[in-house]
Amino acid sequence: MDPLSRIGVAIDAALLTRFDQLIAKRRYPSRSEAFRDLIRDALIADGAQSAKTPVIGTLTLVYEHSVRRLSDKLTALQHEFHAIIVSALHVHLDHDNCLEVIVVRGKSGDVRRVADALISVKGVRHGQLTITGITSPSQHARGHSPKKH
Ligand code: NI
């Protein structure tokens, strides 16, 4: 672990009170951990803005499987984008609705294009892409080393 740096932050009292309420609600053990998470989120969001940054994330879709040919269309699209789609989890939510969580990995721009293509299919009721991390090509290669498995 890198050595810790201590910083002082000037913040107005009302804003700090609201922040403390938020971190209590989210059950953070300390303000420091909450600040660190905010900074990590901001760095991921900023890095992901560049279309070439390698990222990993999840795409969540909710759709009605009874809509004509919708499941087929979504499956065909996932095959088309097999280089970006790592895995998919399908949950039969209730009689009519399905939930899919799709793990996506690739360049930020490609990941967004694939997400938009799936979310915009007619009959998809809800879709959300979450970029969880920025991956480096070397990490990617190590993660697939046969020695690790
Ligand atoms: Ni289903």
Side-chain angles (χ1 to χ4, degrees):
M1 192 177 171
D2 290 336
L4 290 176
S5 298
R6 293 194 177 278
I7 57 166
V9 178
I11 185 167
D12 73 73
L15 189 60
L16 185 59
T17 300
R18 288 177 59 198
F19 186 60
D20 282 343
Q21 288 166 350
L22 178 73
I23 66 181
K25 198 166 82 179
R26 293 189 179 176
R27 297 174 181 269
Y28 274 104
S30 67
R31 275 182 188 154
S32 291
E33 187 50 33
F35 273 118
R36 286 191 287 266
D37 267 7
L38 286 179
I39 291 167
R40 288 184 199 109
D41 284 352
L43 291 172
I44 287 171
D46 184 60
Q49 276 176 10
S50 161
K52 288 184 178 169
T53 304
V55 297
I56 188 154
T58 54
L59 172 64
T60 305
L61 301 175
V62 175
Y63 62 92
E64 280 183 74
H65 73 87
S66 55
V67 171
R68 197 171 164 270
R69 295 206 56 242
L70 178 55
S71 298
D72 288 349
K73 238 182 261 177
L74 291 173
T75 302
L77 276 171
Q78 290 187 48
H79 278 276
E80 191 179 324
F81 299 123
H82 64 89
I84 299 291
I85 291 170
V86 178
S87 183
L89 167 76
H90 186 104
V91 178
H92 309 302
L93 272 186
D94 54 34
H95 187 270
D96 301 312
N97 296 292
C98 299
L99 169 89
E100 240 168 65
V101 181
I102 300 166
V103 177
V104 284
R105 176 165 56 197
K107 289 178 186 165
S108 172
D110 294 337
V111 163
R112 279 180 200 285
R113 245 191 314 280
V114 169
D116 289 343
L118 286 160
I119 291 168
S120 63
V121 171
K122 195 178 170 203
V124 174
R125 300 174 68 174
H126 175 76
Q128 177 140 22
L129 172 66
T130 304
I131 299 293
T132 307
I134 293 172
T135 58
S136 73
S138 60
Q139 275 178 340
H140 188 166
R142 275 202 301 278
H144 282 77
S145 158
K147 286 176 191 160
K148 293 198 87 177
H149 295 282

